[in-house]
Amino acid sequence: MAPSVSRVRDLLLLLHILSAMTWFGAGAWGLIAVRRVQRVQGTEEADILLQKMELVENRVFPPAAILVLLSGVGLVLNGSAGWGDMFVYLGMTGVIVSMALGGAVGGRLNRELADAREAGDTVKTAGLVNRWLNLGRIELLILLVIVALMVYKPL
Ligand code: HEM
């Protein structure tokens, strides 16, 4: 690989891994925060945590996912892998499924949660927080599987 190509590859891979770490880290933080909310339901601390989770959901996940995707595409175009490589198309599928889940399901959950909190409906809030926990677990599992695919690169 020519020195310039490998420098570009290294830079893309650095960006790729840093954005993947951010996405995974934010997801892990989200699960810890949800568990804490379940323990301190109805308190000011729960309210503050739910606001922070909404912020992460809207401000951290989307740019991190887009950067992972763009840097991944850059790595393929730069010659680090082919579109036919299983880890690449499963990686693409994983990103798209995860973004769709986060956007459609996560977004709707966010809105319902904001309405339930505003109405002071603690029972509904507790139910929605449980669903958020399950969504977070699924998302993190998808990311974990993709990272394993990216490291082992099966076929
Ligand atoms: C959530 C999604 C993704 C995560 C968490 C992720 C994570 C990673 C990680 C950790 C590596 C480094 C593996 C290693 O060097 O051992 C890697 C490499 C790579 N990723 Fe991804 N990736 C994701 C999505 C994608 C997508 C969508 C593409 C393609 C469009 C892609 C293309 C690549 C390529 C080509 C490499 C190998 C780079 C090289 O060694 O030169 N990744 N990815």
Side-chain angles (χ1 to χ4, degrees), residues 9 13 16-17 20 23 68-69 72-73 75-76 80-81 83 87-88 91-92 95 143 146-147 150-151 153:
R9 177 256 178 185
L13 189 57
H16 192 61
I17 294 176
W23 192 358
V68 164
L69 191 59
V73 169
L75 283 164
V76 176
S80 289
W83 294 113
F87 81 95
V88 168
M92 295 281 272
V95 172
L143 286 183
I146 300 176
V147 171
M150 295 282 147
V151 171
K153 300 180 180 64

PDB file of all heavy atoms in Angstrom, residues 9 13 16-17 20 23 68-69 72-73 75-76 80-81 83 87-88 91-92 95 143 146-147 150-151 153, ligand 1:
ATOM      1  N   ARG A   9      -5.666   5.568   5.139  1.00  0.00           N
ATOM      2  CA  ARG A   9      -6.337   4.416   5.766  1.00  0.00           C
ATOM      3  C   ARG A   9      -6.238   4.542   7.286  1.00  0.00           C
ATOM      4  O   ARG A   9      -7.229   4.388   7.994  1.00  0.00           O
ATOM      5  CB  ARG A   9      -5.690   3.128   5.273  1.00  0.00           C
ATOM      6  CG  ARG A   9      -6.240   1.871   5.900  1.00  0.00           C
ATOM      7  CD  ARG A   9      -5.258   1.347   6.944  1.00  0.00           C
ATOM      8  NE  ARG A   9      -5.766   0.160   7.597  1.00  0.00           N
ATOM      9  CZ  ARG A   9      -5.138  -0.417   8.615  1.00  0.00           C
ATOM     10  NH1 ARG A   9      -4.024   0.100   9.094  1.00  0.00           N
ATOM     11  NH2 ARG A   9      -5.636  -1.483   9.183  1.00  0.00           N
ATOM     12  N   LEU A  13      -9.299   4.833   9.752  1.00  0.00           N
ATOM     13  CA  LEU A  13      -9.516   3.792  10.761  1.00  0.00           C
ATOM     14  C   LEU A  13      -9.561   4.410  12.154  1.00  0.00           C
ATOM     15  O   LEU A  13     -10.386   4.026  12.976  1.00  0.00           O
ATOM     16  CB  LEU A  13      -8.427   2.727  10.665  1.00  0.00           C
ATOM     17  CG  LEU A  13      -8.637   1.484  11.509  1.00  0.00           C
ATOM     18  CD1 LEU A  13      -9.953   0.790  11.192  1.00  0.00           C
ATOM     19  CD2 LEU A  13      -7.470   0.502  11.348  1.00  0.00           C
ATOM     20  N   HIS A  16     -12.847   5.963  12.426  1.00  0.00           N
ATOM     21  CA  HIS A  16     -13.839   4.879  12.466  1.00  0.00           C
ATOM     22  C   HIS A  16     -13.925   4.293  13.873  1.00  0.00           C
ATOM     23  O   HIS A  16     -15.008   4.155  14.440  1.00  0.00           O
ATOM     24  CB  HIS A  16     -13.405   3.811  11.469  1.00  0.00           C
ATOM     25  CG  HIS A  16     -14.414   2.771  11.163  1.00  0.00           C
ATOM     26  ND1 HIS A  16     -15.641   3.044  10.608  1.00  0.00           N
ATOM     27  CD2 HIS A  16     -14.377   1.433  11.329  1.00  0.00           C
ATOM     28  CE1 HIS A  16     -16.301   1.927  10.441  1.00  0.00           C
ATOM     29  NE2 HIS A  16     -15.566   0.930  10.875  1.00  0.00           N
ATOM     30  N   ILE A  17     -12.774   3.993  14.443  1.00  0.00           N
ATOM     31  CA  ILE A  17     -12.763   3.373  15.780  1.00  0.00           C
ATOM     32  C   ILE A  17     -13.198   4.371  16.862  1.00  0.00           C
ATOM     33  O   ILE A  17     -13.981   4.032  17.755  1.00  0.00           O
ATOM     34  CB  ILE A  17     -11.376   2.776  16.078  1.00  0.00           C
ATOM     35  CG1 ILE A  17     -11.108   1.613  15.119  1.00  0.00           C
ATOM     36  CG2 ILE A  17     -11.277   2.315  17.532  1.00  0.00           C
ATOM     37  CD1 ILE A  17      -9.737   0.984  15.244  1.00  0.00           C
ATOM     38  N   ALA A  20     -16.907   4.702  16.621  1.00  0.00           N
ATOM     39  CA  ALA A  20     -17.531   3.463  17.119  1.00  0.00           C
ATOM     40  C   ALA A  20     -17.457   3.409  18.642  1.00  0.00           C
ATOM     41  O   ALA A  20     -18.423   3.025  19.317  1.00  0.00           O
ATOM     42  CB  ALA A  20     -16.842   2.248  16.505  1.00  0.00           C
ATOM     43  N   TRP A  23     -20.088   5.788  20.081  1.00  0.00           N
ATOM     44  CA  TRP A  23     -21.420   5.192  19.951  1.00  0.00           C
ATOM     45  C   TRP A  23     -21.629   4.132  21.027  1.00  0.00           C
ATOM     46  O   TRP A  23     -22.606   4.149  21.770  1.00  0.00           O
ATOM     47  CB  TRP A  23     -21.538   4.594  18.545  1.00  0.00           C
ATOM     48  CG  TRP A  23     -22.913   4.195  18.143  1.00  0.00           C
ATOM     49  CD1 TRP A  23     -24.076   4.256  18.879  1.00  0.00           C
ATOM     50  CD2 TRP A  23     -23.305   3.677  16.883  1.00  0.00           C
ATOM     51  NE1 TRP A  23     -25.133   3.801  18.168  1.00  0.00           N
ATOM     52  CE2 TRP A  23     -24.687   3.449  16.916  1.00  0.00           C
ATOM     53  CE3 TRP A  23     -22.603   3.388  15.717  1.00  0.00           C
ATOM     54  CZ2 TRP A  23     -25.386   2.939  15.830  1.00  0.00           C
ATOM     55  CZ3 TRP A  23     -23.306   2.883  14.627  1.00  0.00           C
ATOM     56  CH2 TRP A  23     -24.678   2.656  14.686  1.00  0.00           C
ATOM     57  N   VAL A  68     -19.266   6.734  11.810  1.00  0.00           N
ATOM     58  CA  VAL A  68     -18.847   5.327  11.652  1.00  0.00           C
ATOM     59  C   VAL A  68     -19.115   4.873  10.217  1.00  0.00           C
ATOM     60  O   VAL A  68     -18.272   4.276   9.559  1.00  0.00           O
ATOM     61  CB  VAL A  68     -19.610   4.407  12.647  1.00  0.00           C
ATOM     62  CG1 VAL A  68     -19.474   2.948  12.237  1.00  0.00           C
ATOM     63  CG2 VAL A  68     -19.101   4.583  14.052  1.00  0.00           C
ATOM     64  N   LEU A  69     -20.311   5.226   9.749  1.00  0.00           N
ATOM     65  CA  LEU A  69     -20.710   4.801   8.404  1.00  0.00           C
ATOM     66  C   LEU A  69     -19.818   5.445   7.338  1.00  0.00           C
ATOM     67  O   LEU A  69     -19.262   4.750   6.477  1.00  0.00           O
ATOM     68  CB  LEU A  69     -22.178   5.180   8.183  1.00  0.00           C
ATOM     69  CG  LEU A  69     -22.877   4.628   6.971  1.00  0.00           C
ATOM     70  CD1 LEU A  69     -22.877   3.107   6.973  1.00  0.00           C
ATOM     71  CD2 LEU A  69     -24.325   5.131   6.909  1.00  0.00           C
ATOM     72  N   GLY A  72     -16.317   4.163   7.492  1.00  0.00           N
ATOM     73  CA  GLY A  72     -16.318   2.775   7.009  1.00  0.00           C
ATOM     74  C   GLY A  72     -16.330   2.730   5.490  1.00  0.00           C
ATOM     75  O   GLY A  72     -15.553   1.994   4.867  1.00  0.00           O
ATOM     76  N   VAL A  73     -17.217   3.533   4.896  1.00  0.00           N
ATOM     77  CA  VAL A  73     -17.273   3.612   3.426  1.00  0.00           C
ATOM     78  C   VAL A  73     -15.923   4.089   2.896  1.00  0.00           C
ATOM     79  O   VAL A  73     -15.386   3.544   1.926  1.00  0.00           O
ATOM     80  CB  VAL A  73     -18.416   4.554   2.986  1.00  0.00           C
ATOM     81  CG1 VAL A  73     -18.329   4.864   1.511  1.00  0.00           C
ATOM     82  CG2 VAL A  73     -19.771   3.954   3.336  1.00  0.00           C
ATOM     83  N   LEU A  75     -13.017   3.657   4.242  1.00  0.00           N
ATOM     84  CA  LEU A  75     -12.038   2.557   4.360  1.00  0.00           C
ATOM     85  C   LEU A  75     -12.183   1.573   3.197  1.00  0.00           C
ATOM     86  O   LEU A  75     -11.192   1.111   2.631  1.00  0.00           O
ATOM     87  CB  LEU A  75     -12.232   1.837   5.695  1.00  0.00           C
ATOM     88  CG  LEU A  75     -11.672   2.543   6.923  1.00  0.00           C
ATOM     89  CD1 LEU A  75     -12.257   1.951   8.206  1.00  0.00           C
ATOM     90  CD2 LEU A  75     -10.143   2.445   6.945  1.00  0.00           C
ATOM     91  N   VAL A  76     -13.427   1.285   2.829  1.00  0.00           N
ATOM     92  CA  VAL A  76     -13.641   0.363   1.703  1.00  0.00           C
ATOM     93  C   VAL A  76     -13.149   1.007   0.409  1.00  0.00           C
ATOM     94  O   VAL A  76     -12.408   0.402  -0.363  1.00  0.00           O
ATOM     95  CB  VAL A  76     -15.127  -0.042   1.598  1.00  0.00           C
ATOM     96  CG1 VAL A  76     -15.351  -0.917   0.371  1.00  0.00           C
ATOM     97  CG2 VAL A  76     -15.589  -0.762   2.855  1.00  0.00           C
ATOM     98  N   SER A  80      -9.288  -0.969   1.930  1.00  0.00           N
ATOM     99  CA  SER A  80      -9.063  -1.841   3.093  1.00  0.00           C
ATOM    100  C   SER A  80      -9.923  -3.089   3.061  1.00  0.00           C
ATOM    101  O   SER A  80      -9.667  -4.038   3.790  1.00  0.00           O
ATOM    102  CB  SER A  80      -9.390  -1.072   4.381  1.00  0.00           C
ATOM    103  OG  SER A  80      -8.416  -0.100   4.603  1.00  0.00           O
ATOM    104  N   ALA A  81     -10.978  -3.061   2.237  1.00  0.00           N
ATOM    105  CA  ALA A  81     -11.862  -4.234   2.137  1.00  0.00           C
ATOM    106  C   ALA A  81     -12.735  -4.056   0.907  1.00  0.00           C
ATOM    107  O   ALA A  81     -12.695  -3.005   0.271  1.00  0.00           O
ATOM    108  CB  ALA A  81     -12.732  -4.339   3.389  1.00  0.00           C
ATOM    109  N   TRP A  83     -16.734  -4.450  -1.035  1.00  0.00           N
ATOM    110  CA  TRP A  83     -18.165  -4.388  -0.704  1.00  0.00           C
ATOM    111  C   TRP A  83     -18.735  -5.789  -0.520  1.00  0.00           C
ATOM    112  O   TRP A  83     -19.735  -5.974   0.150  1.00  0.00           O
ATOM    113  CB  TRP A  83     -18.933  -3.626  -1.786  1.00  0.00           C
ATOM    114  CG  TRP A  83     -18.561  -2.184  -1.848  1.00  0.00           C
ATOM    115  CD1 TRP A  83     -17.916  -1.545  -2.868  1.00  0.00           C
ATOM    116  CD2 TRP A  83     -18.778  -1.197  -0.839  1.00  0.00           C
ATOM    117  NE1 TRP A  83     -17.719  -0.224  -2.555  1.00  0.00           N
ATOM    118  CE2 TRP A  83     -18.241   0.020  -1.297  1.00  0.00           C
ATOM    119  CE3 TRP A  83     -19.365  -1.227   0.423  1.00  0.00           C
ATOM    120  CZ2 TRP A  83     -18.266   1.183  -0.553  1.00  0.00           C
ATOM    121  CZ3 TRP A  83     -19.411  -0.061   1.170  1.00  0.00           C
ATOM    122  CH2 TRP A  83     -18.874   1.130   0.679  1.00  0.00           C
ATOM    123  N   PHE A  87     -18.089  -8.905   6.504  1.00  0.00           N
ATOM    124  CA  PHE A  87     -18.071  -7.986   7.658  1.00  0.00           C
ATOM    125  C   PHE A  87     -18.477  -6.584   7.248  1.00  0.00           C
ATOM    126  O   PHE A  87     -19.054  -5.830   8.039  1.00  0.00           O
ATOM    127  CB  PHE A  87     -16.709  -8.007   8.357  1.00  0.00           C
ATOM    128  CG  PHE A  87     -15.624  -7.174   7.737  1.00  0.00           C
ATOM    129  CD1 PHE A  87     -15.378  -5.893   8.196  1.00  0.00           C
ATOM    130  CD2 PHE A  87     -14.839  -7.684   6.716  1.00  0.00           C
ATOM    131  CE1 PHE A  87     -14.367  -5.120   7.648  1.00  0.00           C
ATOM    132  CE2 PHE A  87     -13.826  -6.924   6.155  1.00  0.00           C
ATOM    133  CZ  PHE A  87     -13.586  -5.645   6.623  1.00  0.00           C
ATOM    134  N   VAL A  88     -18.245  -6.246   5.963  1.00  0.00           N
ATOM    135  CA  VAL A  88     -18.617  -4.912   5.486  1.00  0.00           C
ATOM    136  C   VAL A  88     -20.140  -4.830   5.293  1.00  0.00           C
ATOM    137  O   VAL A  88     -20.785  -3.933   5.832  1.00  0.00           O
ATOM    138  CB  VAL A  88     -17.882  -4.562   4.171  1.00  0.00           C
ATOM    139  CG1 VAL A  88     -18.476  -3.314   3.530  1.00  0.00           C
ATOM    140  CG2 VAL A  88     -16.400  -4.361   4.448  1.00  0.00           C
ATOM    141  N   GLY A  91     -21.795  -5.023   8.558  1.00  0.00           N
ATOM    142  CA  GLY A  91     -21.568  -3.768   9.266  1.00  0.00           C
ATOM    143  C   GLY A  91     -22.535  -2.697   8.789  1.00  0.00           C
ATOM    144  O   GLY A  91     -23.155  -1.987   9.601  1.00  0.00           O
ATOM    145  N   MET A  92     -22.706  -2.626   7.456  1.00  0.00           N
ATOM    146  CA  MET A  92     -23.638  -1.646   6.882  1.00  0.00           C
ATOM    147  C   MET A  92     -25.051  -1.927   7.376  1.00  0.00           C
ATOM    148  O   MET A  92     -25.764  -1.026   7.812  1.00  0.00           O
ATOM    149  CB  MET A  92     -23.635  -1.756   5.354  1.00  0.00           C
ATOM    150  CG  MET A  92     -22.352  -1.400   4.677  1.00  0.00           C
ATOM    151  SD  MET A  92     -22.143   0.352   4.538  1.00  0.00           S
ATOM    152  CE  MET A  92     -22.958   0.668   3.004  1.00  0.00           C
ATOM    153  N   VAL A  95     -25.476  -0.926  11.018  1.00  0.00           N
ATOM    154  CA  VAL A  95     -25.579   0.523  11.212  1.00  0.00           C
ATOM    155  C   VAL A  95     -26.972   1.004  10.830  1.00  0.00           C
ATOM    156  O   VAL A  95     -27.620   1.748  11.573  1.00  0.00           O
ATOM    157  CB  VAL A  95     -24.517   1.273  10.373  1.00  0.00           C
ATOM    158  CG1 VAL A  95     -24.755   2.764  10.424  1.00  0.00           C
ATOM    159  CG2 VAL A  95     -23.129   0.958  10.847  1.00  0.00           C
ATOM    160  N   LEU A 143     -24.177  -3.489  18.265  1.00  0.00           N
ATOM    161  CA  LEU A 143     -22.838  -2.891  18.157  1.00  0.00           C
ATOM    162  C   LEU A 143     -21.745  -3.889  18.528  1.00  0.00           C
ATOM    163  O   LEU A 143     -20.711  -3.970  17.861  1.00  0.00           O
ATOM    164  CB  LEU A 143     -22.742  -1.661  19.065  1.00  0.00           C
ATOM    165  CG  LEU A 143     -23.476  -0.415  18.596  1.00  0.00           C
ATOM    166  CD1 LEU A 143     -23.231   0.733  19.569  1.00  0.00           C
ATOM    167  CD2 LEU A 143     -23.036  -0.023  17.197  1.00  0.00           C
ATOM    168  N   ILE A 146     -21.191  -6.249  15.720  1.00  0.00           N
ATOM    169  CA  ILE A 146     -20.480  -5.610  14.603  1.00  0.00           C
ATOM    170  C   ILE A 146     -18.998  -5.434  14.914  1.00  0.00           C
ATOM    171  O   ILE A 146     -18.138  -5.693  14.079  1.00  0.00           O
ATOM    172  CB  ILE A 146     -21.115  -4.259  14.232  1.00  0.00           C
ATOM    173  CG1 ILE A 146     -22.567  -4.423  13.806  1.00  0.00           C
ATOM    174  CG2 ILE A 146     -20.325  -3.603  13.115  1.00  0.00           C
ATOM    175  CD1 ILE A 146     -23.242  -3.107  13.535  1.00  0.00           C
ATOM    176  N   VAL A 147     -18.690  -5.023  16.134  1.00  0.00           N
ATOM    177  CA  VAL A 147     -17.266  -4.870  16.487  1.00  0.00           C
ATOM    178  C   VAL A 147     -16.552  -6.213  16.346  1.00  0.00           C
ATOM    179  O   VAL A 147     -15.451  -6.292  15.787  1.00  0.00           O
ATOM    180  CB  VAL A 147     -17.094  -4.304  17.915  1.00  0.00           C
ATOM    181  CG1 VAL A 147     -15.639  -4.357  18.339  1.00  0.00           C
ATOM    182  CG2 VAL A 147     -17.597  -2.880  18.000  1.00  0.00           C
ATOM    183  N   MET A 150     -15.931  -6.836  12.808  1.00  0.00           N
ATOM    184  CA  MET A 150     -14.884  -5.962  12.269  1.00  0.00           C
ATOM    185  C   MET A 150     -13.492  -6.440  12.673  1.00  0.00           C
ATOM    186  O   MET A 150     -12.528  -6.263  11.938  1.00  0.00           O
ATOM    187  CB  MET A 150     -15.075  -4.544  12.794  1.00  0.00           C
ATOM    188  CG  MET A 150     -16.354  -3.887  12.314  1.00  0.00           C
ATOM    189  SD  MET A 150     -16.210  -3.314  10.634  1.00  0.00           S
ATOM    190  CE  MET A 150     -17.853  -3.546  10.045  1.00  0.00           C
ATOM    191  N   VAL A 151     -13.381  -7.021  13.863  1.00  0.00           N
ATOM    192  CA  VAL A 151     -12.063  -7.484  14.331  1.00  0.00           C
ATOM    193  C   VAL A 151     -11.711  -8.826  13.690  1.00  0.00           C
ATOM    194  O   VAL A 151     -10.608  -9.025  13.195  1.00  0.00           O
ATOM    195  CB  VAL A 151     -12.044  -7.585  15.877  1.00  0.00           C
ATOM    196  CG1 VAL A 151     -10.771  -8.270  16.371  1.00  0.00           C
ATOM    197  CG2 VAL A 151     -12.188  -6.191  16.496  1.00  0.00           C
ATOM    198  N   LYS A 153     -13.326 -10.223  11.028  1.00  0.00           N
ATOM    199  CA  LYS A 153     -13.479 -10.149   9.558  1.00  0.00           C
ATOM    200  C   LYS A 153     -13.715 -11.528   8.929  1.00  0.00           C
ATOM    201  O   LYS A 153     -12.941 -11.955   8.053  1.00  0.00           O
ATOM    202  CB  LYS A 153     -12.252  -9.496   8.920  1.00  0.00           C
ATOM    203  CG  LYS A 153     -11.985  -8.082   9.397  1.00  0.00           C
ATOM    204  CD  LYS A 153     -10.757  -7.497   8.722  1.00  0.00           C
ATOM    205  CE  LYS A 153     -10.457  -6.108   9.165  1.00  0.00           C
ATOM    206  NZ  LYS A 153     -10.110  -5.946  10.606  1.00  0.00           N
TER     207      LYS A 153
HETATM  208  C1  HEM B   1     -21.529   0.050  14.234  1.00  0.00           C
HETATM  209  C2  HEM B   1     -20.849  -0.080  13.176  1.00  0.00           C
HETATM  210  C3  HEM B   1     -19.363  -0.355  13.111  1.00  0.00           C
HETATM  211  C4  HEM B   1     -18.467  -0.540  14.102  1.00  0.00           C
HETATM  212  C5  HEM B   1     -18.715  -0.529  15.590  1.00  0.00           C
HETATM  213  C6  HEM B   1     -17.172  -0.767  13.466  1.00  0.00           C
HETATM  214  C7  HEM B   1     -15.992  -0.990  14.161  1.00  0.00           C
HETATM  215  C8  HEM B   1     -14.801  -1.288  13.541  1.00  0.00           C
HETATM  216  C9  HEM B   1     -13.569  -1.592  14.256  1.00  0.00           C
HETATM  217  C10 HEM B   1     -13.424  -1.625  15.762  1.00  0.00           C
HETATM  218  C11 HEM B   1     -12.607  -1.841  13.330  1.00  0.00           C
HETATM  219  C12 HEM B   1     -11.119  -2.180  13.579  1.00  0.00           C
HETATM  220  C13 HEM B   1     -10.941  -3.630  13.527  1.00  0.00           C
HETATM  221  C14 HEM B   1      -9.478  -4.009  13.539  1.00  0.00           C
HETATM  222  O1  HEM B   1      -8.648  -3.274  13.025  1.00  0.00           O
HETATM  223  O2  HEM B   1      -9.195  -5.087  14.035  1.00  0.00           O
HETATM  224  C15 HEM B   1     -13.238  -1.713  12.042  1.00  0.00           C
HETATM  225  C16 HEM B   1     -12.573  -1.926  10.880  1.00  0.00           C
HETATM  226  C17 HEM B   1     -13.164  -1.745   9.665  1.00  0.00           C
HETATM  227  N1  HEM B   1     -14.451  -1.323   9.421  1.00  0.00           N
HETATM  228 FE1  HEM B   1     -15.888  -1.043  10.760  1.00  0.00          FE
HETATM  229  N2  HEM B   1     -17.319  -0.713  12.116  1.00  0.00           N
HETATM  230  C18 HEM B   1     -18.644  -0.461  11.857  1.00  0.00           C
HETATM  231  C19 HEM B   1     -19.256  -0.318  10.659  1.00  0.00           C
HETATM  232  C20 HEM B   1     -18.574  -0.385   9.462  1.00  0.00           C
HETATM  233  C21 HEM B   1     -19.173  -0.161   8.173  1.00  0.00           C
HETATM  234  C22 HEM B   1     -20.624   0.205   7.949  1.00  0.00           C
HETATM  235  C23 HEM B   1     -18.188  -0.328   7.240  1.00  0.00           C
HETATM  236  C24 HEM B   1     -18.248  -0.217   5.733  1.00  0.00           C
HETATM  237  C25 HEM B   1     -19.054   0.507   5.071  1.00  0.00           C
HETATM  238  C26 HEM B   1     -16.966  -0.660   7.966  1.00  0.00           C
HETATM  239  C27 HEM B   1     -15.749  -0.905   7.376  1.00  0.00           C
HETATM  240  C28 HEM B   1     -14.612  -1.264   8.055  1.00  0.00           C
HETATM  241  C29 HEM B   1     -13.374  -1.656   7.397  1.00  0.00           C
HETATM  242  C30 HEM B   1     -13.129  -1.725   5.909  1.00  0.00           C
HETATM  243  C31 HEM B   1     -12.464  -1.983   8.403  1.00  0.00           C
HETATM  244  C32 HEM B   1     -11.033  -2.518   8.247  1.00  0.00           C
HETATM  245  C33 HEM B   1     -10.087  -1.428   8.132  1.00  0.00           C
HETATM  246  C34 HEM B   1      -8.665  -1.907   8.005  1.00  0.00           C
HETATM  247  O3  HEM B   1      -8.240  -2.771   8.747  1.00  0.00           O
HETATM  248  O4  HEM B   1      -7.994  -1.373   7.139  1.00  0.00           O
HETATM  249  N3  HEM B   1     -17.232  -0.681   9.306  1.00  0.00           N
HETATM  250  N4  HEM B   1     -14.557  -1.363  12.196  1.00  0.00           N
END
